[in-house]
Amino acid sequence: MYLGMKLKNAFLSACLSVMALATPAVAQSGAPVSLEDVAQIDVLPGWRDASGTHMAALRVRLADGWKTYWRSPGEAGIPPSLDWRGSGNLAGVTFHWPVPEVFDTAGMRTIGYSGDLVLPMTLTPDMVGQPIKLKGKVNLGVCKDICMPMDARISVTLPVDMKSAARPIKRALRARPDTASEAGLRRATCQVEPIADGLRLTARIDMPRVGQGEVVVVETADPSLWVNTLSTERSGKTLTTVAELVPTSGKPFLLNRSDVRLTVLAAGRGVDIRGCTGG
C-alpha cells in the first residue's frame, strides 16, 4: 500500500429502464434535441440459469453520430450511474462491459460506444426461485455536437422461467476484453510517488502488443479519484503509462496496488489487468 492524498473521477454503475427523461438541449442548428430522436433504451430480460442467477442486459440504441460512455468515460465523458433503491429480491449486480471505442475530439480523449450498446449484467437474487423486481433510476450521458444527461426510470419484473433475447446478450458477452492470461501478460508493475496534489503512478506492462495506438485506462477501487493520464508509450515488449491520481478532498489516502485496474485498448480489442506489483 502507498500513503498519499484522497481521490476524484466518477464512473460506474449502469442499468435498465423503460421510461427516460432528459434535460432539454439545443443542437448547433438551434433546433431542440428530442430524447426520442437520440436514444432508445430498453431491457433485454434474458434468462435464469441453473445456479439461480439471472442474466439480463440494458440495451441503448443510439441515433447516427451519437455516443454514450464506458464505466470510465475518459477526459470529458459523463460517467453512467444507477440508483437501485426500490428493487426487490436483488442481492447483487455484476456488469460485463464489452470492449469500448476510443474517441478523440477537440484534443480530448473519451471512451464509450456508438451505435447499439448491449450491457450484460448478472443479477443475484436474495431468494432463488423467485422473480426479481428491478426498480430505480439510471443516468447516462449522450453526446454528438452537444452532450446531455438521460435520466431513466427503471421498473421491470424478471420471472424465474424467463428465456428471452439470448442472442444479443451472448454476443455482447463474447465482446468482453481478454483476461491478462489470455493476452499473454508476463508482468505488470506500478511505481508510485507523491506529487503536490496527489500521486503519480507509472505502470509498466510486459505484454505482446494489442494493436496500433494502444491506450491504457487506469482505475482504482475509489470512484472519487480523478485520473489524469499524462503519457502512454511502447518500447519493445513493454507498454508504459504515466498517470496522476488527484483527490478532491485533499486528505491522505491508501493506494493498494492490488486494487489498481489497467485496461489496454487498441484495434477493437481490450485486455483487462487486475492489480499490479511494486516496481
Side-chain angles (χ1 to χ4, degrees), residues 209-230:
R209 186 185 296 272
V210 177
Q212 291 297 319
E214 290 168 310
V215 171
V216 180
V217 182
V218 178
E219 299 172 80
T220 73
D222 189 334
S224 69
L225 177 66
W226 179 63
V227 180
N228 178 30
T229 301
L230 301 178

Side-chain angles (χ1 to χ4, degrees), residues 38-61:
V38 171
Q40 299 291 326
I41 304 176
D42 63 353
V43 176
L44 300 180
W47 64 91
R48 191 73 60 98
D49 63 25
S51 69
T53 59
H54 197 109
M55 181 65 71
L58 167 72
R59 179 171 60 181
V60 182
R61 289 175 287 183

Side-chain angles (χ1 to χ4, degrees), residues 26-29 33 65-67 105 142-148:
V26 178
Q28 288 183 340
S29 63
V33 175
W66 286 83
K67 63 186 179 185
T105 306
V142 292
C143 284
K144 189 179 180 183
D145 300 324
I146 58 169
C147 291
M148 61 183 183

Side-chain angles (χ1 to χ4, degrees), residues 99-115:
V99 173
E101 303 172 58
V102 178
F103 304 100
D104 288 298
T105 306
M108 291 187 294
R109 176 173 292 160
T110 56
I111 303 171
Y113 305 93
S114 58

Side-chain angles (χ1 to χ4, degrees), residues 262-273:
L262 306 169
T263 304
V264 183
L265 301 170
R269 293 181 55 211
V271 179
D272 188 6
I273 302 168

Side-chain angles (χ1 to χ4, degrees), residues 9-11 69-80 109-112:
N9 184 26
F11 78 128
Y69 294 100
W70 189 49
R71 64 169 188 257
S72 183
E75 297 174 342
I78 301 172
R109 176 173 292 160
T110 56
I111 303 171

